[in-house]
Amino acid sequence: PRASRDTLRVKKKEKNEDNMEPPSTHTELRELCAVCFDVIRGDAGLCTAQRTRGLGDVECALFVTWKKRSKRGTWDLRGCIGTFSPLPLSDGLPRYARQSAFRDKRFPPIRGEEISLLECGISILSHFEKVQAWDDWEIGTHGVILTAQLRRRTYSATFLPEVCAEQGWGKRECIEHLLSKAGYDGKVDEETLSAVRIERYQSSKAKLSFSEYEKMRGL
């Protein structure tokens, strides 16, 4: 997944004064996925109603992930962008639904005819903690934000909590892939690992296929 340009440098905000809690139940998160489908279908001219008004002002750090079913029946990544800087859900959700669908530079923009093959995933991020050791986090539980000062340059990258488990990586493999993702092409030895700084976080996640979305919306 890729964060917007400034998100890896932004300090997380304190909870807002109303102490509103972000969506966390499976039903709530699946509704957010459905809203993302509403947004990109509306942008593609496939529907007119975009159900974003009821999202409220609760602030969330979030990522939106799109996957596409291949002819082999696998779900292949089609776009993933988000932010670590909490935004009102009514602003952040439609913004990153569009960013991940149409502006992830790793992929061409999603076309209208692809939407029926998509699955949307929502990750609401929480429990950010800076840790002392590069391996002080748990695979499948924590997402990892890596920052490292190497070769007079700062490298930064992140993986959501599910990435390492899905790929079958150990912790060191994960760090190596994060460094590569950040653009570092040198060897990863103990000296390199000593320069790595880690912030771990957790997420509440749900996903929704287009066929499930159709049932939710009665299409």
Side-chain angles (χ1 to χ4, degrees), residues 1-2 33 36-37 40 62-68 75-82 93 96-101 104 106-107 110 118-123 125 160 162-163 166 205-209:
R2 183 170 63 87
C33 294
C36 291
F37 271 115
I40 68 165
L62 61 88
F63 274 73
V64 178
T65 302
W66 296 102
K67 292 186 177 181
K68 180 180 175 181
W75 290 102
D76 298 335
L77 184 64
R78 193 62 180 80
C80 182
I81 300 180
L93 187 67
Y96 287 101
R98 293 184 174 101
Q99 291 268 10
S100 56
D104 189 329
R106 296 171 294 179
F107 307 98
I110 288 174
L118 296 179
E119 175 187 83
C120 180
I122 293 290
S123 298
L125 311 184
L160 294 173
E162 64 271 18
V163 172
E166 289 176 352
K205 181 169 182 176
K207 56 187 178 181
L208 189 75
S209 68

Side-chain angles (χ1 to χ4, degrees), residues 140-151:
T141 299
H142 295 114
V144 179
I145 304 171
L146 173 148
T147 305
Q149 291 281 349
L150 297 163
R151 298 174 174 174

Side-chain angles (χ1 to χ4, degrees), residues 122-185:
I122 293 290
S123 298
I124 302 294
L125 311 184
S126 61
H127 298 93
F128 290 86
E129 302 173 281
K130 293 183 178 180
V131 296
Q132 297 301 313
W134 65 266
D135 58 353
D136 186 7
W137 52 278
E138 296 301 323
I139 293 172
T141 299
H142 295 114
V144 179
I145 304 171
L146 173 148
T147 305
Q149 291 281 349
L150 297 163
R151 298 174 174 174
R152 300 180 181 178
R153 176 183 165 188
T154 300
Y155 296 88
S156 296
T158 189
F159 284 140
L160 294 173
E162 64 271 18
V163 172
C164 290
E166 289 176 352
Q167 298 298 324
W169 296 335
K171 292 183 181 180
R172 180 156 180 157
E173 276 185 291
C174 177
I175 298 301
E176 291 171 351
H177 283 285
L178 277 169
L179 286 166
S180 176
K181 180 181 178 183
Y184 177 74
D185 59 1

